[in-house]
Amino acid sequence: MSHCTTETAVDALVVGAGPAGLMAADVLGKAGYTVLLAEHKPSVARKFLMAGKSGLNLTKDEPLDEMLPAFGPSADRLAPILRDFDAREVQAWAQSLGQPLFTGSSKRVFPKAMKASPLLRACLAEVNARVETRWRWQGFDGALSVFETPNGPQNVKAKVTVLAMGGASWRKLGSDGAWAEALPTEDIVPFQPVNMGFRVNWSSHMEAHFGAPIKAVALHAGGQAERAEFTISKAGIEGGGIYLVSKAMRDGARLTVDLFPDLSVDVLRQKLGGRGKASVTSHLRKRLKLTGARLALLQEFCRPLPNDLAPLLKAVPILHDGPRDLDEAISTSGGVSWAALDSNLMLRARANTFCAGEMIDWDAPTGGYLLTGCLATGRWAGRAAVEALAAI
């Protein structure tokens, strides 16, 4: 049975119901405009909910001048946007929705509930918009946005549009990057993984350590040094520490791990002196308490072990086979280029059409920066859309 195309007219259309889209829709709805919020998955904010399974790191409680460098080359473009909605504003927003927060020792901020669903429910209750799910955006047809829906083709005529369709990772949660084909090629930067694990072809002796955390180490890549832990998995290496240095690694930097970041080479040499007839492994266990996965990592990449172990313990080279698949990354860079957007996040090639969230070509490490950027750009695009509506 064929369906006829139907048409809907609204003041504002928001495409994508993740954090950025929800923020934009909230701003537009509170300004008194009719808003249609369209999501192509069966339910909203699926990637946001998945992030909440590990605690939902909302932001990092630090001043803007400390936060901005984490955004790398995009810091200058994001500066006014984040200044308008910084870490304190993110916390105030969550608390205004009845969500108590706490700040960990690393300055990372989490809901006390340690999950995303209560915050999402409270946010949805505030958003004054018509929400449609299973609506997949197909692009523009003149003044119309075209959708495929369970009830057939739908055209939406909107005075302003905010696109917030995510990047190109975790397609099962909604971020598949398919929308890029509907925009001019010259406006799109190719997608690349950010905050991702790396493949390692482990030898069989490492199987006993799959799932083991590597703690109390420092990771070095491309001049960057991070005190953080990571995890050995069947597929390779992953976890917070790897994500922090993943961009440098992706761009070709060598990764080394300092197994004893609090001890100098000279101190290590002193502790390892006088081995006698003991095996190297026994000596490391006895003198440095180097055991388990940390010892296995040394043996995996550094055998045969040299007589002078101290320098090696400070820089164990981690050999890998490159990033995990794009779809497995926590987030992606690429998407709509900054050159295609004006200071209001409006597409230069299409008046009154704004972009927000991860679909813009910016990247940030995990630790609260990514979600803060999505919320801030969604709010910024929503406010710019309100200003555009007021001028029509």
Side-chain angles (χ1 to χ4, degrees):
M1 179 179 177
S2 62
H3 293 279
C4 295
T5 301
T6 58
E7 185 171 311
T8 298
V10 292
D11 293 325
L13 168 66
V14 179
V15 187
L22 287 168
M23 287 296 283
D26 185 46
V27 169
L28 284 155
K30 282 184 168 64
Y33 294 105
T34 58
V35 183
L36 171 59
L37 177 58
E39 167 60 46
H40 80 97
K41 299 301 285 184
S43 58
V44 305
R46 289 189 164 198
K47 192 173 178 181
F48 180 70
L49 288 171
M50 177 62 80
K53 288 188 175 182
S54 59
L56 191 65
N57 185 189
L58 274 174
T59 190
K60 192 169 185 183
D61 190 15
E62 60 186 9
L64 183 62
D65 61 347
E66 293 181 21
M67 176 176 278
L68 276 176
F71 292 89
S74 298
D76 288 345
R77 291 298 302 265
L78 286 166
I81 298 170
L82 291 167
R83 188 173 295 113
D84 188 60
F85 199 71
D86 61 10
R88 289 187 179 181
E89 291 291 335
V90 171
Q91 293 174 74
W93 166 75
Q95 289 167 335
S96 75
L97 293 173
Q99 302 303 304
L101 307 175
F102 75 92
T103 303
S105 58
S106 63
K107 298 185 180 180
R108 296 182 180 188
V109 179
F110 301 86
K112 286 188 176 179
M114 287 301 286
K115 54 186 178 180
S117 51
L119 179 58
L120 177 59
R121 286 195 297 270
C123 181
L124 283 170
E126 287 285 311
V127 174
N128 182 21
R130 168 188 163 191
V131 180
E132 295 287 356
T133 57
R134 295 188 173 91
W135 279 39
R136 180 176 278 276
W137 188 73
Q138 302 295 301
F140 297 109
D141 182 5
L144 303 174
S145 275
V146 180
F147 292 88
E148 285 295 330
T149 80
N151 296 318
Q154 299 276 339
N155 291 339
V156 178
K157 186 176 183 180
K159 297 174 184 176
V160 299
T161 298
V162 177
L163 303 177
M165 291 178 280
S169 64
W170 290 87
R171 72 175 55 240
K172 68 180 182 180
L173 302 178
S175 298
D176 58 14
W179 53 264
E181 297 178 4
L183 293 177
T185 303
E186 60 270 20
D187 289 347
I188 302 298
V189 178
F191 292 111
Q192 292 191 81
V194 180
N195 303 319
M196 65 290 190
F198 287 75
R199 298 187 302 273
V200 178
N201 184 23
W202 299 113
S203 61
S204 59
H205 91 277
M206 291 297 293
E207 291 178 7
H209 304 288
F210 291 166
I214 304 294
K215 299 183 177 182
V217 298
L219 296 89
H220 296 260
Q224 188 177 352
E226 301 289 348
R227 291 284 294 264
E229 67 180 72
F230 65 98
T231 302
I232 294 173
S233 71
K234 182 178 180 180
I237 49 176
E238 57 190 64
I242 297 299
Y243 302 153
L244 289 172
V245 296
S246 60
K247 188 174 187 298
M249 291 174 63
R250 182 197 71 191
D251 295 341
R254 177 173 176 260
L255 173 66
T256 62
V257 174
D258 183 349
L259 295 175
F260 296 94
D262 295 320
L263 301 178
S264 68
V265 170
D266 289 340
V267 169
L268 286 170
R269 282 190 177 126
Q270 183 179 2
K271 286 179 173 289
L272 288 170
R275 177 163 67 90
K277 295 182 179 180
S279 69
V280 174
T281 299
S282 297
H283 197 55
L284 286 167
R285 286 173 177 155
K286 182 177 180 180
R287 294 294 182 89
L288 295 175
K289 302 188 186 308
L290 185 62
T291 60
R294 292 167 76 241
L295 176 58
L297 204 64
L298 176 69
Q299 294 174 321
E300 176 74 3
F301 294 112
C302 303
R303 296 173 79 177
L305 297 176
N307 290 326
D308 186 7
L309 276 169
L312 191 58
L313 295 173
K314 297 291 290 180
V316 176
I318 307 297
L319 307 180
H320 61 83
D321 296 323
R324 300 275 294 275
D325 292 342
L326 181 68
D327 190 49
E328 297 175 3
I330 302 297
S331 60
T332 55
S333 60
V336 178
S337 71
W338 285 111
L341 301 170
D342 69 10
S343 61
N344 290 323
L345 300 182
M346 186 178 77
L347 285 169
R348 297 184 188 277
R350 189 176 180 89
N352 298 330
T353 299
F354 305 84
C355 295
E358 209 183 320
M359 67 181 292
I360 301 173
D361 179 29
W362 60 278
D363 57 63
T366 55
Y369 301 111
L370 180 62
L371 191 48
T372 296
C374 287
L375 293 168
T377 55
R379 185 172 184 268
W380 186 270
R383 294 178 70 183
V386 166
E387 292 178 3
L389 282 167
I392 294 175

